[in-house]
């Protein structure tokens, strides 16, 4: 036995007898209606200055968007920087000339690019020793260009670099002394502190170094000990010294020499009629070279003093009077001479 299905029936809303008249058709909105000619004339005449400024501003915006903002190109020269070189390597032929980039984009943005603050950065983190060619199109601009700018051309397109192994060694220092001290002086001792420096640079140069020389030190006319800090001599590009200056100490001393004076006449003082045999002697003087170089024994300086001698014969050494304190008699020949004092002539 089938049951009848239940269905809901909508009851129509009751109709108001007072609303039985038909509705008028919908009209178009009033804002679609064209204004009257008098209204347009009144609208144009109202606030003419403001309307003129608005028109000029609209023209300027149109010009800026459609003319100034058109894509343009500009050549920009930027230096090339090397970054992230492995610590065990060194670039021996770094770029010296800037790269010329052709940048395209809106003119107003192009004018804001400052080529003096920009760099073209090359990443060398995955580089090995040898000759390396790098495609500059993969380099990065620092700071980055605005989004609407684009680099369309790079000159040169490739960069050729030489990469070498970095070498570090401790190398002794050699003093480079030039010139001679003053006459009568000589170098007694010369030292340098420190006596070794740490040298780092390309292996092709550092591995061949045996010693590092100082800059030439002029000793011309030097007559006293001196100390000075001097630089180390240039050993090649990219070769670095730690430290790059050393302390040099040069000590000088006088040269002592002996000089022989032959057949110098002997003079008797404090005695009359006293004779000496022989009347001349050979003397060897010892002292600083600076004094003995041009020294001459004055006449009457080699003497025998007969004061207080009784008549008779004596063996006496000769004396040198008025001798500079730094000079002394090293030898006499003969060592002693005979002095004869006659009767009635003694002191």
């Amino acid at each position: 036995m089938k049951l009848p299905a239940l269905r809901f029936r909508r009851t129509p809303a009751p109709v108001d007898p007072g609303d039985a008249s038909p509705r008028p058709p919908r009209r178009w909105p009033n804002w679609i209606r064209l204004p009257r000619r008098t209204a347009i004339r009144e609208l144009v005449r109202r606030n003419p200055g403001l309307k003129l400024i608005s028109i000029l501003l609209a023209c300027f915006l149109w010009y800026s968007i459609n003319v100034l903002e058109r894509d343009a190109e500009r050549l920009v020269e930027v230096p090339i920087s090397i970054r992230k070189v492995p610590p065990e390597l060194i670039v021996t032929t770094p770029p010296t000339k800037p790269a010329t980039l052709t940048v395209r984009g809106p003119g107003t943005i192009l004018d804001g690019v400052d080529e003096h603050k920009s760099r073209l950065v090359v990443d060398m983190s995955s580089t090995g020793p040898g000759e390396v060619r790098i495609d500059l199109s993969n380099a990065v601009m620092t700071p980055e260009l605005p989004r609407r700018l684009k680099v369309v051309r790079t000159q040169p397109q490739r960069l050729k670099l030489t990469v070498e192994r970095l070498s570090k060694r401790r190398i002794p220092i050699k003093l480079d002394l030039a010139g001679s001290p003053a006459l009568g002086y000589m170098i007694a001792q010369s030292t340098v502190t420190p006596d070794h420096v740490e040298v780092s640079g390309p292996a092709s140069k550092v591995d061949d170094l045996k010693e590092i020389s100082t800059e030439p030190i002029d000793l011309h006319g030097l007559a006293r000990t001196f100390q000075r800090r001097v630089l180390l001599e240039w050993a090649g590009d990219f070769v670095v010294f730690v430290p790059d200056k050393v302390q040099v100490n040069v000590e000088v001393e006088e040269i002592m020499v002996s000089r022989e004076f032959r057949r110098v006449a002997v003079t008797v003082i404090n005695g009359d009629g006293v004779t000496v045999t022989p009347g001349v002697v050979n003397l060897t003087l010892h002292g600083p070279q600076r004094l003995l170089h041009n020294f001459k024994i004055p006449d009457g300086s080699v003497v025998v003093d007969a004061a207080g001698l009784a008549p008779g014969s004596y063996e006496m050494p000769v004396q040198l009077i008025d001798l500079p304190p730094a000079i002394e008699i090293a030898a006499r020949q003969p060592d002693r001479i005979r002095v004869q004092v006659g009767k009635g002539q003694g002191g």
Side-chain angles (χ1 to χ4, degrees), residues 63-78:
Y63 179 81
S64 300
I65 295 174
N66 294 276
V67 178
L68 295 181
E69 292 300 316
R70 290 180 181 176
D71 285 349
E73 290 186 354
R74 176 187 170 189
L75 297 179
V76 179
E77 288 190 350
V78 294

Side-chain angles (χ1 to χ4, degrees), residues 164-184:
E164 292 191 37
R165 180 176 58 86
L166 182 65
S167 178
K168 292 184 179 181
R169 294 175 54 206
R170 282 183 57 81
I171 299 179
I173 299 175
K174 175 186 175 183
L175 280 175
D176 185 1
L177 304 179
S180 300
L183 179 64

Side-chain angles (χ1 to χ4, degrees), residues 67-119:
V67 178
L68 295 181
E69 292 300 316
R70 290 180 181 176
D71 285 349
E73 290 186 354
R74 176 187 170 189
L75 297 179
V76 179
E77 288 190 350
V78 294
I80 304 173
S81 297
I82 304 298
R83 294 290 185 270
K84 298 182 179 180
V85 180
E88 69 278 5
L89 301 177
I90 183 173
V91 180
T92 57
T93 57
T96 57
K97 296 181 179 180
T100 302
L101 307 181
T102 303
V103 183
R104 178 179 297 170
T108 53
I109 303 179
L110 278 176
D111 293 339
V113 177
D114 190 353
E115 58 186 344
H116 299 291
K117 297 182 180 180
S118 300
R119 295 287 185 275

